[in-house]
Amino acid sequence: MPSVEALAAHVYSKPLSKGEIAAFAIETAKLAEDGDAVACELYRHGAGLLGEQIAAVIHRTGLQGAFPVGLIGSAFKAGAVFVEPLTRAVHKLAPEVRVSVVEIAPVGGSLLLAMRACGCEGALAATELGRLVDEALAPESSAAA
């Protein structure tokens, strides 16, 4: 966009698709990686807010000690600019937590939990589950090919 005003007009002129919104995030991440102060602050602020939500879950569930916190979703593709401040925010309440980005579609986590509940936890390697999830989520046109 040539100006902030043009950007605002575009954003409010019609509902944006998920892809259009994601494009803004990709550009913001690039700017943050290049050291843009405003972009970096957007990610720090967002990471802080998400860290507070994770902390609330930890507090309400009574989790203690070392346990994993998996970050699932495209927001974490921004990389260190988002993940590092988020990890710091989580470590304020739970310093032993292992925070990591999970490379699987969000539905994959649900499937893993279902497998664990059924006693099938070791039946499929995570990479195989990831492949199955990817196939299940593929558009019908590619599934028919």
Side-chain angles (χ1 to χ4, degrees):
M1 295 286 143
S3 68
V4 172
E5 291 80 13
L7 175 63
H10 176 71
V11 167
Y12 292 110
S13 68
K14 64 179 177 97
L16 296 176
S17 71
K18 185 176 176 183
E20 289 170 319
I21 294 169
F24 287 118
I26 291 167
E27 289 304 314
T28 305
K30 287 178 187 173
L31 289 169
E33 286 173 3
D34 291 340
D36 182 271
V38 173
C40 288
E41 181 54 30
L42 285 171
Y43 276 102
R44 272 194 297 274
H45 182 71
L49 293 173
L50 184 55
E52 289 174 10
Q53 292 176 4
I54 294 169
V57 171
I58 292 169
H59 179 71
R60 293 195 110 194
T61 59
L63 289 169
Q64 296 179 350
F67 56 88
V69 170
L71 306 176
I72 298 175
S74 59
F76 304 109
K77 290 181 181 176
V81 70
F82 189 49
V83 175
E84 287 179 6
L86 175 58
T87 301
R88 284 192 299 273
V90 172
H91 282 162
K92 286 180 185 176
L93 176 65
E96 296 178 57
V97 166
R98 296 178 314 278
V99 179
S100 59
V101 176
V102 178
E103 297 294 332
I104 190 169
V107 71
S110 299
L111 294 173
L112 286 171
L113 290 173
M115 289 173 62
R116 181 178 296 161
C118 294
C120 304
E121 191 171 0
L124 282 177
T127 54
E128 177 65 8
L129 179 60
R131 185 187 65 74
L132 293 171
V133 169
D134 289 342
E135 283 180 13
L137 296 177
E140 289 183 37
S141 60
S142 65

